[in-house]
Amino acid sequence: MTDSPAVRIPLDPKEQPILDSLLSVRTKLELLKQDRSTYVKSQDVLDLYEKVVEQVVILNEIRTTKRLEQNRVDTVLDDCFQLISLAYMTVGKNHEAPAVYSFLSTAKRLLDHLKEATFYSPKDLESIGGRLQDCRRYISRGKESYSPHLLTLLDARLELCEKTLAELELTLSLLTPDLSPKYDKLVSILRSLSACNTRSKFPNAEVDEYLEQLKQLQEELREYGIHAFESTGTKEEKLAEMTEKLQIAMAHPEPAPEAKKLIETLLQRCFVWVALAKSKQGRISPAFQDTYDKLLGIKNKLEKISLTQAWSLRETDLWSFQRQLDRVDEARVDGNFLDLLGRPAEIYEQRTLLYLLRKSYATIYHLIVSSEPVSEALLPIYNQLTTLRKCLLDVKKLGGVSSPRELYPYSMKLNSIDNMRVDGKFMVGNEIPDGQGSVTQLLEECFELAYELRNEAEENESGE
């Protein structure tokens, strides 16, 4: 059962056969990703890709006069493209045009969230910007191999991402070189405070440490004429006033505030966030507890996957997480999380839930970006070579070996892997999985490191 957002627009009877076909393809893709008894084969993915493109061609012919139509067909079509995109990565075709689809979907979510949050790090933009340039190259390279219908769709999504990225870069361009490090520090503190709210036990001491860092930054920023707003009255009255001002600022953000105003607002938000966090102590309103538990569970599962990614991740596994997150994200109204009675969340619940949502999207982004262009059929060999390379580099860093005999275990393992090749290729059954170049390059690098270490050891023995 898919967890895609529900679309209620009536379906054109002419589109029913398309929907049926796409549902069939999606079912096959889901079965393909769930079957752990064998590796995902390139040909199976290519066949299903061709079937989806056939339906896109028919759909475009029907919608000649209604290009902006969005109904259940589009939702299921998006599911199919997402699964195919992740399946392309699973078989090692990371640099092919269809693999770009899933990345662009996740990047678009992240960019929209950064724009909504107003505050973000230059590193966030650098990472996404570099990958978008790669996507542009992959799409351009795929013009001879893939359907123009797919390429047009990818190009449109890429342009949207590039436009949002340019807007975000414009805001940060207003920061002066001496203010940029202080801004980055404030962004880091804001995110760290949000993380504190999701711990099983609220870390009061850690939050107090962040508060001290904020006070120090506030003193440093005074010379630039930047300071957090002041308030009089009791502690509760101060918090209420600060929260009210912050909510007003969030409801009416400036399109590109000047550097001083940008940092001043961020400093204010950090102080409010410390006060709110200490008063709430990690307690979420019962009306939003279910949403909180769901998002926290997704975040924890994704972080667990990221720790063992090289050995356990099948990229298609990310699809179910993407869909669950999309459903939560698209259920928001005007950016607000609503309870069962349609009431918006208070600022504490709102910011905490947004942190979990954005953190999960960011982890999916990291997992996609970190995916190696190697078929899962070759991953066991690739991972072994990666470990061997790391060990050999560590040995070299520590001064090498005292005798060539110490390299025997490494040489034996490298030779055993090398002997697995048939006519220079790593075969799995009768298939030649994608990623041969990456695995071969890694194998050669390991042999070269071992050769260098052996030569150094022999020279040392001769000298003695």
Side-chain angles (χ1 to χ4, degrees):
M1 177 66 71
T2 181
D3 207 5
S4 302
V7 178
R8 301 183 182 278
I9 295 175
L11 183 69
D12 185 331
K14 294 179 182 177
E15 295 184 10
Q16 186 62 50
I18 299 173
L19 177 61
D20 294 338
S21 297
L22 291 174
L23 286 169
S24 173
V25 172
R26 189 180 69 183
T27 300
K28 289 175 183 176
L29 284 163
E30 288 184 278
L31 292 173
L32 198 65
K33 84 178 184 70
Q34 291 167 6
D35 184 6
R36 296 281 178 170
S37 64
T38 184
Y39 298 115
V40 176
K41 296 179 178 61
S42 295
Q43 194 55 52
D44 292 340
V45 178
L46 292 171
D47 290 344
L48 291 169
Y49 161 76
E50 291 295 342
K51 289 180 180 177
V52 172
V53 170
E54 285 174 14
Q55 299 308 311
V56 171
V57 173
I58 298 171
L59 182 64
N60 285 340
E61 290 174 355
I62 293 174
R63 291 187 180 176
T64 306
T65 57
K66 46 179 181 177
R67 290 296 185 195
L68 301 179
E69 177 89 11
Q70 289 286 306
N71 56 39
R72 194 172 176 224
V73 171
D74 302 272
T75 304
V76 179
L77 181 61
D78 181 60
D79 288 344
C80 290
F81 272 132
Q82 289 276 20
L83 278 164
I84 284 171
S85 179
L86 293 167
Y88 259 71
M89 297 172 68
T90 302
V91 298
K93 295 180 180 292
N94 299 42
H95 301 159
E96 299 288 321
V100 169
Y101 190 95
S102 186
F103 170 80
L104 288 178
S105 296
T106 305
K108 180 68 169 65
R109 294 275 179 184
L110 270 181
L111 289 166
D112 286 344
H113 277 287
L114 291 176
K115 185 176 180 180
E116 180 185 16
T118 310
F119 304 110
Y120 41 87
S121 165
K123 291 180 181 177
D124 297 330
L125 305 187
E126 287 168 13
S127 172
I128 296 176
R131 294 295 298 187
L132 290 179
Q133 290 177 9
D134 292 339
C135 291
R136 175 67 68 190
R137 196 165 64 251
Y138 302 152
I139 293 170
S140 178
R141 198 169 62 198
K143 287 180 179 177
E144 301 299 321
S145 311
Y146 294 100
S147 164
H149 299 281
L150 170 68
L151 297 176
T152 301
L153 176 62
L154 292 175
D155 198 57
R157 291 196 168 206
L158 179 56
E159 283 184 13
L160 277 175
C161 289
E162 290 172 335
K163 180 183 177 184
T164 307
L165 178 66
E167 292 174 7
L168 297 174
E169 288 174 336
L170 176 62
T171 299
L172 291 190
S173 69
L174 301 170
L175 291 169
T176 57
D178 51 337
L179 283 176
S180 286
K182 293 176 173 56
Y183 172 84
D184 289 348
K185 181 65 176 175
L186 286 171
V187 170
S188 175
I189 290 174
L190 187 66
R191 290 177 177 176
S192 298
L193 286 168
S194 296
C196 289
N197 295 325
T198 64
R199 305 268 183 86
S200 55
K201 184 179 179 182
F202 186 77
N204 277 294
E206 190 175 334
V207 173
D208 287 338
E209 187 179 324
Y210 290 130
L211 179 57
E212 290 305 312
Q213 292 179 33
L214 284 173
K215 289 178 179 177
Q216 183 181 340
L217 277 168
Q218 181 174 229
E219 288 303 314
E220 294 173 6
L221 289 168
R222 284 189 190 280
E223 63 180 273
Y224 299 93
I226 298 171
H227 53 83
F229 45 58
E230 302 292 336
S231 179
T232 57
T234 66
K235 183 178 179 181
E236 289 75 16
E237 288 172 344
K238 286 181 182 179
L239 178 58
E241 184 183 346
M242 290 165 70
T243 304
E244 183 182 357
K245 287 182 179 179
L246 180 60
Q247 285 176 317
I248 293 171
M250 288 167 59
H252 304 89
E254 296 182 43
E258 61 180 35
K260 179 182 172 182
K261 185 66 176 175
L262 186 71
I263 295 181
E264 196 170 75
T265 307
L266 178 53
L267 182 63
Q268 292 168 353
R269 182 174 292 189
C270 286
F271 275 116
V272 172
W273 205 215
V274 168
L276 278 172
K278 289 185 74 67
S279 68
K280 292 286 188 176
Q281 293 285 304
R283 294 185 297 271
I284 295 291
S285 166
F288 296 94
Q289 189 67 49
D290 287 346
T291 305
Y292 174 84
D293 290 341
K294 180 176 184 178
L295 289 174
L296 182 63
I298 292 172
K299 181 187 84 76
N300 290 341
K301 286 175 185 174
L302 285 168
E303 288 181 342
K304 185 177 179 181
I305 289 172
S306 68
L307 292 174
T308 58
Q309 175 186 7
W311 301 94
S312 63
L313 177 67
R314 176 180 273 187
E315 283 79 2
T316 47
D317 294 341
L318 298 175
W319 179 72
S320 59
F321 293 112
Q322 286 178 324
R323 277 295 166 251
Q324 291 177 71
L325 292 171
D326 290 351
R327 186 158 197 166
V328 173
D329 198 14
E330 290 169 15
R332 295 193 292 145
V333 177
D334 296 328
N336 295 313
F337 290 93
L338 305 180
D339 64 13
L340 294 176
L341 298 177
R343 296 171 299 193
E346 295 293 332
I347 187 170
Y348 178 78
E349 282 75 20
Q350 174 76 4
R351 306 308 298 177
T352 302
L353 293 175
L354 277 175
Y355 165 76
L356 291 172
L357 186 61
R358 290 165 182 166
K359 182 68 175 176
S360 297
Y361 274 126
T363 306
I364 289 176
Y365 172 88
H366 168 75
L367 289 167
I368 290 175
V369 168
S370 304
S371 174
E372 298 290 349
V374 175
S375 168
E376 67 168 348
L378 294 183
L379 271 182
I381 299 172
Y382 185 85
N383 290 333
Q384 289 177 56
L385 288 171
T386 302
T387 304
L388 273 170
R389 178 180 174 276
K390 184 178 184 301
C391 291
L392 289 167
L393 285 171
D394 287 342
V395 169
K396 187 175 182 179
K397 189 187 296 183
L398 293 171
V401 293
S402 56
S403 167
R405 291 189 187 88
E406 294 178 35
L407 291 170
Y408 283 174
Y410 301 107
S411 298
M412 288 175 64
K413 184 62 182 176
L414 286 172
N415 285 325
S416 70
I417 293 176
D418 192 27
N419 290 334
M420 294 169 67
R421 294 197 282 182
V422 179
D423 296 329
K425 303 289 184 184
F426 289 97
M427 305 284 290
V428 176
N430 295 322
E431 279 207 350
I432 303 176
D434 282 274
Q436 298 287 329
S438 298
V439 177
T440 301
Q441 183 181 348
L442 198 51
L443 178 62
E444 290 172 355
E445 192 175 342
C446 288
F447 269 123
E448 191 173 328
L449 281 167
Y451 179 73
E452 289 175 6
L453 289 167
R454 185 170 63 251
N455 280 350
E456 289 174 9
E458 288 173 351
E459 288 173 7
N460 291 336
E461 281 189 343
S462 300
E464 292 171 2

